[in-house]
């Protein structure tokens, strides 16, 4: 009789401690692999599991249901997780819901379909977004001009722009690389593609691509861009119908007095910028702060803004991290002149030492965009021809986390932005 009683007690006790949830903690001291934790969450959404993003709770942790296959996947990928009972989960959610806490629980509904706008051929440099998506094991589809111009963007929810030059000036690499085989071949391939697609100039074709991407965002898509894809995209929109290319780029001289013909109302993020006329200068305009930077590498950091998770969940999601201080890194477009950013664009990360914005976000029509300055968050001054970053050496990179925040946030139930 006593033996049966003990067995019954043990059974009841095991029921009370039965785990119902898994927590992927995202604080600095506990999570072994922050980047792959996003991949686990994305994997769960693809498997139709329910998931929640706990904004500002332990670095922006993820709450998942407890299932053997999820535990196994975490173990395989080296992602730290904690097992929670119903009561422990309820206690966390009560803490998060308190008006005194700058926290929020956001339900993640469905994994977004991801496209990466990137050239078909290998470039002599790498792309941070492609690297981290591959590392986190988040599926994506490479697309380029033919797919964009044939309206295949309608198949996707989220689009990343590779470090492209949408102005048709081949990245302003002319001065340094005009006699280098890869540059010559790249220019030839771009001209052949433009002809194939029915355009007389590469600049005309890239401008058409930029407008298709604009329409994707206006219609409700999410766009993320880094480095030169950010300012060259806005310049292409503002210069629509105006020839800003010199003869070495498109075979004829630029249009006279073209600066006065810029239509800043067409651009997403920037206003009143002045274009760089000299083809030998590795710069598109004065939007970029690279030539104006006087910050020593050991002091090159930018700070993430602090938003109300309950009132402004979108910028809160985009800024989730285990630190608010992010190590700076350079690129062709490193950072943005704060005075040239439109008033309706939200600055989410800035370096006050140089009055520059590093990380900005805005809404266009029904969709949203995020621009992130710099080339590679774990390579301070990436050069053409440098090997790609090995993310196994940086599994907890706060700079790369910002990219993955953008990848995941279209999955969330949205609340109206109030900032």
């Amino acid at each position: 009789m006593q033996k049966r009683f003990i067995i019954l007690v043990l059974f009841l006790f095991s029921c009370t401690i039965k785990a119902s949830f898994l927590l992927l903690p995202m604080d600095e001291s506990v999570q072994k692999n922050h980047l792959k934790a996003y991949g686990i969450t994305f994997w769960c959404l693809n498997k139709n599991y329910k998931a929640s993003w706990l904004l500002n709770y332990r670095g922006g942790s993820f709450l998942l249901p407890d299932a053997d296959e999820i535990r196994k996947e975490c173990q395989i990928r080296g992602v730290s997780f904690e097992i929670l009972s119903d009561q422990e989960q309820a206690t966390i959610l009560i803490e998060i819901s308190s008006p005194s806490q700058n926290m929020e629980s956001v339900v993640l509904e469905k994994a977004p379909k991801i496209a990466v706008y990137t050239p078909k051929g290998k470039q002599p440099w790498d792309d941070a977004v492609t690297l981290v998506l591959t590392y986190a094991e988040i599926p994506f589809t490479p697309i380029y001009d033919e797919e964009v111009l044939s309206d295949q963007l309608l198949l996707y929810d989220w689009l990343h722009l590779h470090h492209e030059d949408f102005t048709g000036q081949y990245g302003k690499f002319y001065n340094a690389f005009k006699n280098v085989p890869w540059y010559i071949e790249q220019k030839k391939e771009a001209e052949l593609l433009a002809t194939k697609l029915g355009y007389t100039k590469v600049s005309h074709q890239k401008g058409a691509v930029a407008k298709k991407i604009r329409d994707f965002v206006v219609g409700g898509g999410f766009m993320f861009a880094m480095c030169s894809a950010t300012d060259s995209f806005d310049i292409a929109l503002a210069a629509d119908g105006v020839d800003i290319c010199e003869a070495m780029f498109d075979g004829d001289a630029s249009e006279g007095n073209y600066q006065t013909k810029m239509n800043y109302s067409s651009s997403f993020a920037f206003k009143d910028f002045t274009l760089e006329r000299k083809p030998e200068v590795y710069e598109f305009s004065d939007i970029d702060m690279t030539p104006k930077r006087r910050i020593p590498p050991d002091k090159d950091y930018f700070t993430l803004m602090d938003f109300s998770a309950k009132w402004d969940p979108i910028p809160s999601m985009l800024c989730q991290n285990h630190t608010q201080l992010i190590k700076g890194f350079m690129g062709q477009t490193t950072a943005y002149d704060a005075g040239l950013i439109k008033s309706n664009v939200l600055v989410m990360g800035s370096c006050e030492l140089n009055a520059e914005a590093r990380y900005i976000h805005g809404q266009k029509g029904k969709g949203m965009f995020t621009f992130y300055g710099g080339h590679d968050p774990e390579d301070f001054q990436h050069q053409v021809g440098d090997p790609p970053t090995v993310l196994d050496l940086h599994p907890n990179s706060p700079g790369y986390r910002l990219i993955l925040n953008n990848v995941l946030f279209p999955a969330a139930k949205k609340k109206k932005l109030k900032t």
Side-chain angles (χ1 to χ4, degrees), residues 25-31 33-35 38 56-61 304 319-326 378 394-402 405:
M26 297 295 278
D27 38 8
E28 186 171 9
S29 59
V30 176
Q31 183 52 253
N33 197 314
H34 287 90
L35 305 185
Y38 288 88
N56 294 343
Y57 178 79
R58 296 180 62 182
S61 300
L304 296 177
C319 290
Q320 288 301 291
N321 227 303
H322 47 282
T323 175
Q324 279 191 286
L325 199 62
I326 311 296
E378 293 298 337
H394 309 282
N396 309 106
S397 168
Y400 269 100
R401 273 198 70 179
L402 295 181
N405 286 341

Side-chain angles (χ1 to χ4, degrees), residues 57 85-98:
Y57 178 79
S85 66
D86 285 339
Q87 183 176 352
E88 289 170 324
Q89 180 255 7
T91 300
I92 290 171
L93 293 182
I94 290 171
E95 177 188 355
I96 288 172
S97 66
S98 170

